[in-house]
Amino acid sequence: MRGIADALNRWLRRVPVWPWYVIGFAPAALWLRAGLLNALGPDPARALEQNLGLTALQLLIAALAVTPLRELTGVSFLRFRRMIGLMAFYYLLLHLAAWVVFDRGMDLAAALTDIVKRPYIVVGMTALVLLLPVALTSTDRAIRSLGGARWRALHRLVYPATALGAVHFVWLVKAWPPEPLVYAGIVAALLLYRLLPRRGRVRTLARPA
């Protein structure tokens, strides 16, 4: 297992990060095109919103999974975690924009009324607000300016933001189908993993990347 993980880590170190910012927006562009062509079903606005929001949650989960994956298997995606987290934030912004533009028809007063009246929207907006300082400080300059300890403490806002994102998804669906509950379970497992004392975690099977 160690040899496989080491070989994969060597390959990952040669993979550039920046193209994934471009590739990451491809699904959003395809969904927008499909929506404009009326190819997203009977309610294209809602389908676009849900696809963007679900992708944001999936990316947040992927970012949270980087550390457990490295500790449990030795495979390190640390070089890509910042990109994954930023893409999650960008998809959240697109999710919000799609709701305001297509669902609320650019009526900001109606959007604000909905935010106040609908608890699941409040939960989603809270997650977005928590991620805002994380996104704004996701630079090497911010790390130097804040210092490693303060920067890490600030970026722990990702944990409650992801939990709120999962709650928002479960609350939004309302009918209790299995999919949002599965996502909520994965988020809970990843957060509980971080509560384990480091001695209780499985040691890394490969040398750190």
Side-chain angles (χ1 to χ4, degrees):
M1 182 66 182
R2 172 176 290 183
I4 295 173
D6 285 345
L8 183 56
N9 287 334
R10 286 193 296 271
W11 177 78
L12 287 171
R13 284 194 291 270
R14 294 195 296 269
V15 176
V17 176
W18 68 265
W20 294 99
Y21 285 99
V22 180
I23 296 169
F25 283 115
L30 292 174
W31 292 327
L32 180 59
R33 179 178 180 275
L36 294 174
L37 295 175
N38 291 319
L40 279 180
D43 193 346
R46 183 175 178 81
L48 179 62
E49 291 170 32
Q50 291 181 343
N51 287 339
L52 293 170
L54 181 57
T55 301
L57 180 58
Q58 290 168 343
L59 288 167
L60 285 172
I61 289 173
L64 285 185
V66 168
T67 294
L69 181 66
R70 179 172 61 90
E71 292 180 348
L72 296 173
T73 71
V75 178
S76 177
F77 286 89
L78 284 175
R79 291 181 59 240
F80 302 91
R81 184 164 60 185
R82 181 187 303 181
M83 177 273 299
I84 295 170
L86 284 173
M87 290 303 303
F89 181 73
Y90 298 150
Y91 266 87
L92 276 177
L93 290 179
L94 290 173
H95 174 61
L96 174 62
W99 175 67
V100 172
V101 173
F102 298 114
D103 197 330
R104 299 292 86 192
M106 291 294 291
D107 188 340
L108 297 182
L112 289 174
T113 300
D114 266 0
I115 291 172
V116 173
K117 291 174 60 177
R118 301 179 186 274
Y120 72 88
I121 299 180
V122 174
V123 169
M125 288 297 298
T126 303
L128 179 61
V129 170
L130 288 176
L131 288 174
L132 180 60
V134 176
L136 292 176
T137 57
S138 291
T139 63
D140 293 336
R141 182 176 180 179
I143 298 174
R144 292 192 297 269
S145 176
L146 292 171
R150 284 190 296 174
W151 184 86
R152 285 190 293 272
L154 176 63
H155 279 239
R156 291 193 184 100
L157 289 173
V158 170
Y159 304 155
T162 306
L164 289 173
V167 171
H168 172 73
F169 186 27
V170 172
W171 207 337
L172 173 65
V173 174
K174 299 177 183 176
W176 300 101
E179 183 183 16
L181 297 178
V182 169
Y183 279 100
I186 293 172
V187 171
L190 289 171
L191 294 178
L192 288 172
Y193 177 85
R194 280 168 167 74
L195 295 178
L196 292 175
R198 296 197 66 85
R199 292 179 182 177
R201 299 182 186 180
V202 178
R203 292 183 178 181
T204 300
L205 299 180
R207 291 183 295 275

